[in-house]
Amino acid sequence: MKSIQETKRTHETRLLALPDVVSVGIGMSADGDEAIIVGLAAPNPETQALIPQKLGEYPVIVRISGSVRAQ
């Protein structure tokens, strides 16, 4: 089984290429399990439909985080 870091790296570029996806990270699910967190700038049902519920063994959680900019 791949680590969550390897799984994130494998899928990060593809996820970031989707409309309104601004971040891909690692966090915890409501159950306390490791999860891939995908941040969207705004709600986008079309993009959300393209994001899988799981990547490898890890759940994917979509959060509306707003736009992200470097400081």
Side-chain angles (χ1 to χ4, degrees):
M1 177 167 87
K2 284 186 176 182
S3 72
I4 194 166
Q5 291 85 3
E6 290 174 300
T7 301
K8 175 186 168 273
R9 273 193 303 272
T10 299
H11 299 280
E12 187 170 26
T13 301
R14 180 182 62 81
L15 291 169
L16 286 169
L18 295 173
D20 291 319
V21 173
V22 294
S23 64
V24 178
I26 297 170
M28 302 297 274
S29 71
D31 297 332
D33 298 321
E34 289 183 310
I36 306 289
I37 311 297
V38 178
L40 296 181
N44 185 326
E46 292 84 14
T47 294
Q48 287 176 258
L50 296 173
I51 298 172
Q53 293 184 3
K54 288 185 91 171
L55 290 172
E57 300 296 317
Y58 304 101
V60 175
I61 299 169
V62 175
R63 294 192 177 142
I64 308 305
S65 59
S67 58
V68 176
R69 59 187 176 112
Q71 294 190 37

